[in-house]
Amino acid sequence: MAVIVQKYGGTSVGSIERIFQVAKRVAKTAAAGNQVAVVVSAMGDTTDELLALAKQIMPNPPERELAMLLSTGEQVSIALVAMALTALGLEAVSFTGPQAGVKTKGSPLEAKIAAFEAERVKAALKAGKIAVVAGFQGSSPDGEIHTLGRGGSDTTAVALAAALKAQICEIYTDVDGVYTVDPRLVDHASKLAEITYDEMLEMASLGAKVLHPRAVECAKEHGVILHVRSSFHDNAGTLVKEVAEMEKEAAVRGIACDVDQVKIALRGVPDRPGVAARIFTAIGEAGINVDLIVQSLRRNGENDILFTIREEDFDKAIAILTPLTKEIGAKELLHQHNVAKISVIGAGMIHQAGVAAKMFAALGKAGINIEIISTSEIKISCLIAADRIQDAARAIHDYFQL
Ligand code: ADP
Ligand code: ASP
Ligand code: MG
């Protein structure tokens, strides 16, 4: 008997009607002779609403209490999905992350899964039940409820699929697969039949929120095949796996957009060894991820250092950098919110010259200014004005004829 893990995102469990649709799909999969474990997100915009409630109390709530609050969203969905399955005549049992055996490490709001001890889930499946597991949460070594970061239910599903040695992990969402670019930004984006783990990991890390980056990492590590598809119909979606069979090494497979960026600039930083290390160590120790970094040419023994961080880390970063600016003797700390990152991704880029030039040409032709550039073997990212992101996505998409 094959084991199948199905994960349903917020929109897919957004109402009682949709929860019944989910239950029917699960019932159909079980009736075809499979053991089914289901992972669910919080209903609709619940997580955002809970966050907004907390912010009404205080701007920076204690992380422990925020994790406690956010984890309730998924707990509502598991109970309702288990009830809907029961109403359809199936045997179902819900589990919170800690009950399902999700052991986490790291910070309360950006915890990582250290282990998935899935004995209770396995026993439920063996007893002929559908297991319904809360995504996005687990318990820390000292028994606290921790959450896995926004979008983290995908990672719960993949880790469960690995623990159960599932045949496939199906990610049901509100789009019918992974597209060359967010179909909400470019209406003529194309759906990909397949994509490799490495390309998907870059897309996800660079802002294509259709999959949580750690879910892709975990899938690659354990060889879990992902099928990203719509919860609204039965059409095939996109397979994420080791080697995509189509033209294997496309120079550009897709585009990722991230409007969730803030640019920070330290002006007039004394040009001394160790200064950059001090800045980025302080930022790193606070758990803030730094993205694009540039240092300007030296002038009069001084440099300017620019980098980007995520919007949600902004308050924390300013609190650290304000005193540090004085300590290292830099002249000014500046920031800019209305910036966005656009990236092109493709494993075939390694073997093809000129991809960067084409990307810049596409942006130039559309009259879009590039502020910072960063490249790796399979991606090129540019920082641009946030209000030009849709134009940029269209221009690049059309230039590369994706
Ligand atoms: P869920 O709640 O099901 O986890 P998410 O909102 O997290 O759904 O992810 C799905 C969304 O990801 C889509 O609605 C789409 O706007 C966005 N998205 C961004 N980039 C892409 C892409 N390349 N392909 C498909 N969807 C994308
Ligand atoms: N509910 C969480 C969020 O909105 C986790 C998830 O949906 O994956 O980020
Ligand atoms: Mg998601």
Side-chain angles (χ1 to χ4, degrees):
M1 213 184 226
V3 179
I4 294 182
V5 173
Q6 298 187 333
K7 180 261 172 177
Y8 293 92
T11 313
S12 307
V13 292
S15 65
I16 294 302
E17 198 192 331
R18 290 204 169 145
I19 285 177
F20 268 113
Q21 292 304 321
V22 166
K24 281 187 196 148
R25 189 186 289 275
V26 173
K28 208 168 108 189
T29 313
N34 302 294
Q35 293 185 336
V36 193
V38 183
V39 173
V40 286
S41 291
M43 292 173 72
D45 296 327
T46 301
T47 309
D48 289 327
E49 288 159 15
L50 292 170
L51 260 176
L53 283 179
K55 299 261 164 175
Q56 282 180 48
I57 305 241
M58 57 198 298
N60 263 323
E63 294 196 342
R64 178 187 188 276
E65 303 311 331
L66 206 48
M68 185 70 88
L69 179 70
L70 297 187
S71 65
T72 61
E74 272 68 15
Q75 203 169 326
V76 170
S77 323
I78 51 169
L80 292 175
V81 169
M83 286 177 202
L85 287 163
T86 309
L88 294 185
L90 280 90
E91 277 199 90
V93 53
S94 65
F95 297 103
T96 64
Q99 286 177 329
V102 182
K103 306 289 177 191
T104 64
K105 59 182 180 189
S107 60
L109 298 172
E110 287 289 333
K112 297 196 165 121
I113 297 182
F116 205 133
E117 294 168 2
E119 278 63 39
R120 284 188 73 177
V121 175
K122 283 183 193 161
L125 296 181
K126 212 171 151 205
K129 296 179 184 168
I130 309 289
V132 186
V133 177
F136 180 56
Q137 53 175 262
S139 54
S140 72
D142 40 9
E144 299 281 32
I145 287 218
H146 282 180
T147 53
L148 307 178
R150 298 307 304 267
S153 295
D154 297 334
T155 302
T156 306
V158 177
L160 180 59
L164 299 176
K165 302 194 167 50
Q167 177 179 295
I168 194 150
C169 180
E170 298 180 322
I171 307 284
Y172 287 94
T173 181
D174 57 5
V175 275
D176 40 16
V178 179
Y179 280 73
T180 44
V181 62
D182 188 342
R184 290 180 211 286
L185 273 183
V186 180
D187 54 12
H188 51 286
S190 330
K191 190 172 86 184
L192 300 167
E194 296 181 353
I195 184 168
T196 64
Y197 292 123
D198 288 339
E199 289 172 325
M200 191 64 237
L201 185 56
E202 288 284 1
M203 293 268 287
S205 308
L206 293 166
K209 67 172 183 161
V210 63
L211 283 174
H212 193 233
R214 280 208 293 282
V216 185
E217 244 165 30
C218 181
K220 180 179 172 170
E221 191 181 325
H222 297 280
V224 175
I225 296 176
L226 306 182
H227 185 182
V228 180
R229 56 193 303 190
S230 168
S231 63
F232 305 135
H233 54 68
D234 285 332
N235 300 350
T238 301
L239 292 177
V240 186
K241 50 189 221 174
E242 193 55 70
V243 179
E245 275 164 16
M246 25 193 263
E247 355 81 81
K248 195 166 128 200
E249 302 244 288
V252 176
R253 180 81 76 208
I255 299 168
C257 302
D258 189 349
V259 290
D260 188 33
Q261 298 271 307
V262 189
K263 184 172 87 181
I264 307 278
L266 279 158
R267 284 216 328 103
V269 180
D271 190 21
R272 279 195 312 267
V275 169
R278 271 193 71 191
I279 298 169
F280 294 109
T281 305
I283 296 267
E285 278 171 354
I288 300 171
N289 273 323
V290 174
D291 198 4
L292 312 176
I293 304 178
V294 285
Q295 179 172 300
S296 67
L297 278 180
R298 178 188 170 144
R299 259 181 288 103
N300 313 322
E302 287 178 348
N303 296 313
D304 295 340
I305 295 179
L306 284 103
F307 55 94
T308 63
I309 57 169
R310 288 191 310 182
E311 188 70 56
E312 65 189 67
D313 291 328
F314 177 69
D315 292 336
K316 227 178 2 176
I318 292 298
I320 292 167
L321 290 169
T322 305
L324 197 64
T325 306
K326 288 216 179 77
E327 267 173 56
I328 59 176
K331 292 231 167 70
E332 220 178 347
L333 173 64
L334 302 165
H335 64 264
Q336 192 187 338
H337 287 281
N338 48 350
V339 291
K341 182 175 60 180
I342 185 151
S343 312
V344 299
I345 295 106
M349 212 177 274
I350 309 175
H351 310 296
Q352 280 197 40
V355 177
K358 282 187 189 146
M359 179 181 186
F360 305 154
L363 291 174
K365 232 175 102 188
I368 297 166
N369 193 41
I370 303 171
E371 297 194 34
I372 305 182
I373 298 165
S374 140
T375 63
S376 80
E377 279 188 334
I378 70 165
K379 71 118 207 275
I380 303 156
S381 301
C382 296
L383 196 74
I384 61 168
D387 60 2
R388 300 301 310 274
I389 192 75
Q390 186 162 26
D391 299 335
R394 285 198 184 125
I396 296 171
H397 197 270
D398 296 346
Y399 202 94
F400 284 101
Q401 299 181 317
L402 297 179

